[in-house]
Amino acid sequence: MSAGTYTPRPGAAPLPRMIAAQTALETRMLLRNGEQLLLTVIIPTLLLVLFSAVDIVDTGSGASVDFLAPGILALAVMSTAFTGQAIATGFERRYGVLKRLAASPLPRWALMTAKTLSVLVTEVLQIVLLTAIALALGWSPEGNPLSVLLLLVLGTAAFSGLGLLMAGTLKAEATLAAANLVFLLLLVGGGVIVPLDKFPDAAQSVLGLLPVSALSEGLRDVLQHGASMPWAEAGILAVWAVLGLGAAAKFFRWE
Amino acid sequence: MENEPVVQVKGLVKRYGTKTAVNGLDLVVATGAVTAVLGPNGAGKTTTIETCEGYRRPDAGTVRVLGLDPVADAERLRPRVGVMLQSGGVYSGARADEMLRHMAKLHAHPLDVDALIERLGLADCGRTTYRRLSGGQQQRLSLAMAVVGRPELVFLDEPTAGLDPQARRSTWDLVRELRADGVSVVLTTHFMDEAEALADDVAIIDAGRVIARGSPEQLCRGGAENTLRFTGRPGLDLGSLVKALPDGSGAAEPLPGTYRITGSVDPQLLATVTSWCAQHDVMPEGISVERHTLEDVFLELTGKELRA
């Protein structure tokens, strides 16, 4: 490189270009990571196919895929917005990626925007794939797509807040363990594949307040039963979103 | 470029809990120069640099970088300053060229990424992801990320730690090229030779304070005197030699036939010694002048070895 190569000419790229580049990179990192794909694609797909084909859990009247598909969509949102985001962000914090980016021209809010966009892109890919599989298995969804969209967005906000709270406060290893444990517990106890009414009454009222229960039950109300808009579930998700994002904003540590 | 300093630190204090990492530190970095912050591990180098980078808020004192407050004016400052962290900073699943291209995209007028990859020998990283790169490759990538945005000022935190001698030379060359093109460089190091080879200005810090500063030459001259050594016939009459030398010089024979002259060793003194030898029919062999090094300066100032 010749003389004058390094002559200073500083400047930040335009914000939309920075956010687009950051979103693309975050999404590539996520899709390249095998463990993440296991969580976000393979497990939901396997559960959907397995539990639709084999009557392991009594899912009530009607085709089991009509019960399962909304729950699996809720699980997909949780796997990306909560589990995947918590683990990835936890390790980015641990390995100084967040620290290094904080010294780059990319503002912090733009980094968080890019992370959210990357989560949304991944969710779109998941939903397209899982919907196609569910339809092939004989799923016949009902209801208003806009209600579904609103629930998915609220669910994403709620899970992102909780995932970032975990990633920004715990050690990366603790986040890894806790995020996987929570994923497993909520998979079983959150109305994803096991109907909530299989649990004792007292447990049901508590479990119903979990974000994944609110999302899966809300989606089921619309997609299985044709409800217009399940406001109670939407409200629960909104409260989780406010609490989670608020706490993450307050307690998140970048290093 | 002789205007106000690019970095001005006054009375910086930074504590972590009960531990005081930086204790009233002053530092001035001249525009367009290479400034080395030299000290043992735990002296407060990284804390000082990271305060300049806006990562830490001073507990007392003021820090100005390019005339701005690194915390309050962070948004304006970040595009103008390049940062190389001591370690990490890259997605573990990212390839070297991918990460560098990404950093380039965050800047308005970045360097040519391919040329930079070539220049820093990162081409052989290929499709290997960051976590599988060697320590040296990781260091060079981190350096490339610090300069790719064409900053006015770069902070390099131990840029050559863990590099093999060849990569170390190559990094030194890059630092010199940056200076030649008008980039101000602040680097931390605990390698004496690095500070001597690169820096226009050295600030030696220990226990959170600057204990000496100046050019490497000034610092080396300022401390103890230099030494001239030679061997010859044992038992020379050193009394007559000392008489011939300037005041304040000394001569000793620590081992039979091995002589050590201390004092302000300059060409005149060397000529005096050799002509004295000629008069006494002594063939001085293995004449060597030991220049006082920063290492000696550090040892004298702190009573400690630099390498921790």
Side-chain angles (χ1 to χ4, degrees):
Chain A
M1 297 174 99
S2 54
T5 302
Y6 304 106
T7 303
R9 204 178 168 204
L15 268 169
R17 195 172 97 196
M18 286 201 276
I19 292 173
Q22 189 67 36
T23 304
L25 183 69
E26 298 264 344
T27 310
R28 276 206 306 280
M29 291 302 111
L30 199 149
L31 295 178
R32 192 175 293 165
N33 185 313
E35 295 100 76
Q36 297 277 30
L37 283 182
L38 181 72
L39 273 176
T40 54
V41 176
I42 298 173
I43 290 178
T45 304
L46 280 179
L47 290 174
L48 178 62
V49 173
L50 187 69
F51 284 82
S52 297
V54 187
D55 236 350
I56 301 171
V57 183
D58 175 13
T59 54
S61 57
S64 52
V65 69
D66 287 337
F67 169 86
L68 281 167
I72 295 295
L73 291 181
L75 181 71
V77 169
M78 178 170 79
S79 70
T80 299
F82 173 72
T83 322
Q85 182 162 233
I87 295 170
T89 308
F91 279 96
E92 285 161 19
R93 178 166 159 257
R94 153 79 169 273
Y95 291 128
V97 179
L98 300 181
K99 181 177 178 179
R100 180 63 188 83
L101 287 174
S104 81
L106 183 76
R108 282 178 177 177
W109 67 263
L111 172 62
M112 297 327 276
T113 304
K115 282 192 167 294
T116 305
L117 289 173
S118 160
V119 164
L120 292 175
V121 167
T122 310
E123 285 179 2
V124 167
L125 297 175
Q126 287 175 295
I127 289 167
V128 167
L129 175 76
L130 292 169
T131 301
I133 293 172
L135 289 174
L137 291 167
W139 184 34
S140 52
E142 318 251 341
N144 184 351
L146 285 180
S147 303
V148 173
L149 189 65
L150 181 66
L151 286 168
L152 292 174
V153 168
L154 283 173
T156 302
F159 284 125
S160 291
L162 296 171
L164 292 172
L165 176 64
M166 194 178 258
T169 53
L170 302 181
K171 283 188 165 187
E173 289 78 6
T175 298
L176 178 66
N180 279 318
L181 183 66
V182 169
F183 178 83
L184 195 65
L185 291 177
L186 292 188
L187 167 63
V188 177
V192 174
I193 49 174
V194 182
L196 280 186
D197 54 25
K198 299 284 173 200
F199 291 91
D201 285 348
Q204 265 186 56
S205 52
V206 177
L207 292 177
L209 296 175
L210 293 172
V212 72
S213 314
L215 184 56
S216 56
E217 291 293 302
L219 288 174
R220 213 164 269 138
D221 282 351
V222 180
L223 291 165
Q224 190 177 11
H225 307 301
S228 60
M229 184 65 214
W231 290 110
E233 282 80 3
I236 293 172
L237 290 174
V239 169
W240 278 109
V242 169
L243 292 178
L245 291 170
K250 185 161 167 49
F251 298 114
F252 196 94
R253 293 285 163 265
W254 294 78
E255 294 180 38
Chain B
M1 297 270 265
E2 289 306 313
N3 34 31
E4 69 174 272
V6 281
V7 176
Q8 197 150 26
V9 176
K10 280 188 196 151
L12 175 65
V13 175
K14 183 69 201 173
R15 300 183 197 93
Y16 299 113
T18 56
K19 188 175 169 288
T20 302
V22 176
N23 187 13
L25 184 140
D26 299 304
L27 182 68
V28 178
V29 173
T31 303
V34 174
T35 303
V37 177
L38 179 70
N41 291 333
K45 301 189 296 287
T46 296
T47 300
T48 302
I49 292 290
E50 293 198 341
T51 308
C52 295
E53 290 164 347
Y55 286 122
R56 324 244 164 268
R57 228 175 258 275
D59 290 321
T62 56
V63 176
R64 287 289 172 276
V65 174
L66 302 172
L68 299 170
D69 179 328
V71 178
D73 304 315
E75 201 118 329
R76 276 196 289 161
L77 208 44
R78 281 191 304 247
R80 301 171 64 189
V81 175
V83 167
M84 176 180 180
L85 299 178
Q86 207 174 92
S87 65
V90 181
Y91 294 85
S92 59
R95 297 186 300 266
D97 69 314
E98 185 174 44
M99 191 66 200
L100 193 54
R101 272 177 227 288
H102 178 66
M103 290 307 291
K105 280 190 198 138
L106 302 180
H107 291 89
H109 316 285
L111 296 177
D112 181 317
V113 173
D114 291 312
L116 189 58
I117 284 173
E118 199 60 41
R119 170 66 182 75
L120 283 170
L122 288 168
D124 53 4
C125 296
R127 299 187 59 79
T128 311
T129 53
Y130 180 74
R131 66 170 161 261
R132 293 182 201 284
L133 294 178
S134 72
Q137 288 171 322
Q138 293 184 345
Q139 285 288 92
R140 282 177 277 149
L141 172 58
S142 186
L143 177 63
M145 285 163 59
V147 303
V148 72
R150 302 181 66 173
E152 294 162 57
L153 164 67
V154 292
F155 289 105
L156 310 177
D157 198 355
E158 305 207 351
T160 61
L163 292 188
D164 61 48
Q166 196 191 346
R168 199 152 168 254
R169 291 281 160 190
S170 161
T171 296
W172 288 8
D173 287 342
L174 181 71
V175 169
R176 294 186 181 112
E177 287 161 35
L178 289 169
R179 174 178 48 196
D181 285 345
V183 181
S184 309
V185 179
V186 181
L187 60 89
T188 70
T189 183
H190 54 253
F191 295 120
M192 289 296 172
D193 58 336
E194 186 155 291
E196 294 198 47
L198 285 182
D200 302 299
D201 251 311
V202 178
I204 298 181
I205 74 174
D206 185 47
R209 311 180 70 105
V210 174
I211 53 172
R213 59 159 310 159
S215 68
E217 296 75 22
Q218 286 168 338
L219 286 171
C220 293
R221 229 183 291 132
E225 300 143 323
N226 293 347
T227 305
L228 176 76
R229 288 177 197 277
F230 66 91
T231 57
R233 200 169 67 224
L236 297 175
D237 175 17
L238 293 179
S240 85
L241 174 56
V242 170
K243 268 183 213 141
L245 294 173
D247 287 347
S249 307
E253 187 180 0
L255 292 169
T258 301
Y259 297 91
R260 191 178 70 204
I261 314 297
T262 52
S264 169
V265 178
D266 54 14
Q268 189 53 54
L269 182 131
L270 183 59
T272 309
V273 171
T274 49
S275 71
W276 181 87
C277 286
Q279 283 162 24
H280 293 78
D281 194 25
V282 174
M283 178 65 205
E285 292 188 34
I287 294 185
S288 68
V289 177
E290 281 171 17
R291 206 166 61 84
H292 199 78
T293 66
L294 278 177
E295 190 122 28
D296 304 325
V297 176
F298 187 82
L299 191 61
E300 273 156 33
L301 288 170
T302 66
K304 287 187 287 200
E305 295 283 344
L306 186 68
R307 282 181 300 271

